[in-house]
Amino acid sequence: MARYTGPKTKIARKFGEPIFGEDKVFAKRNYPPGQHGQNRRKKTSEYGTQLREKQKAKYTYGVLERQFRNLFEKAARTKGITGEVLLQLLESRLDNVVYRLGLAPSRPAARQLVLHKHINVNGKNVNIPSYRVMPGDVVTVREKSKSLEVIADSVSGFNHSKYPWIEWDNSIMGGKFLHVPAREDIPETIKEQLIVELYSK
């Protein structure tokens, strides 16, 4: 499936947040791109605000429109608050769990690790980034891949206690997905209710 491969800093500046991870250019220019980026005072419509939030969520988690829509419809059919369930489904994706475990410096890098068969779930190799990780599942690096520099560099110095729904085990270079995260534990600044309002029209 196709992925967004355009200029990431430009997108991050559009939303005013480093949504693709640490970005040195964004740190210097954290205002909208373009000639009038610093002075723009354009009023956004209600629809525009809702659409912007959906786009922000899609770029943050690296999901395309059809997949995102399918996740929303699944969230709408699931018991609970639709917006929160949507974020929980996004957080349960294998590429996101690999990123949260600190095995990759960004979600795109985590996606690549999964696609290149470097990641196991419960001892079995899984190369589907959208694979849904369930509570109790153990996500680890494949034995032959533990010496990869990108993984070693990412794991080194990473705070493995920052996400309460994941339990890290250094001996297996991986961790257990303890439970679906509560909304207050998900650090993304996405206003999920605006996405619900957009799709409910």
Side-chain angles (χ1 to χ4, degrees), residues 3 57-64 67 93 95 107 111:
R3 291 287 121 190
K58 281 170 52 184
Y59 281 121
T60 297
Y61 287 97
V63 180
L64 294 183
Q67 203 171 16
R93 284 171 54 96
D95 55 358
R107 286 187 181 90
R111 176 183 172 80

Side-chain angles (χ1 to χ4, degrees), residues 118-126 138-143:
H118 296 302
I119 301 299
N120 287 345
V121 179
N122 299 328
K124 295 182 179 180
N125 191 256
V126 179
V138 177
V139 178
T140 58
V141 177
R142 191 182 64 164
E143 193 63 38

Side-chain angles (χ1 to χ4, degrees), residues 4 7-21 23 26 29-34 37 40 44 47-63 65 68 188-191 194-195 198:
Y4 175 75
K8 293 180 179 178
T9 298
K10 184 177 180 180
I11 296 298
R13 290 174 65 192
K14 175 183 176 182
F15 293 110
E17 295 178 37
I19 60 175
F20 294 107
D23 189 325
F26 174 82
R29 303 182 187 177
N30 57 354
Y31 49 84
R40 196 172 295 166
T44 307
Y47 173 79
T49 302
Q50 294 166 347
L51 180 62
R52 177 186 173 93
E53 210 60 30
K54 183 197 73 170
Q55 297 294 85
K56 178 180 172 183
K58 281 170 52 184
Y59 281 121
T60 297
Y61 287 97
V63 180
E65 180 58 41
F68 192 85
E188 308 304 337
T189 58
I190 294 168
K191 298 173 184 174
L194 293 177
I195 301 173
L198 176 68

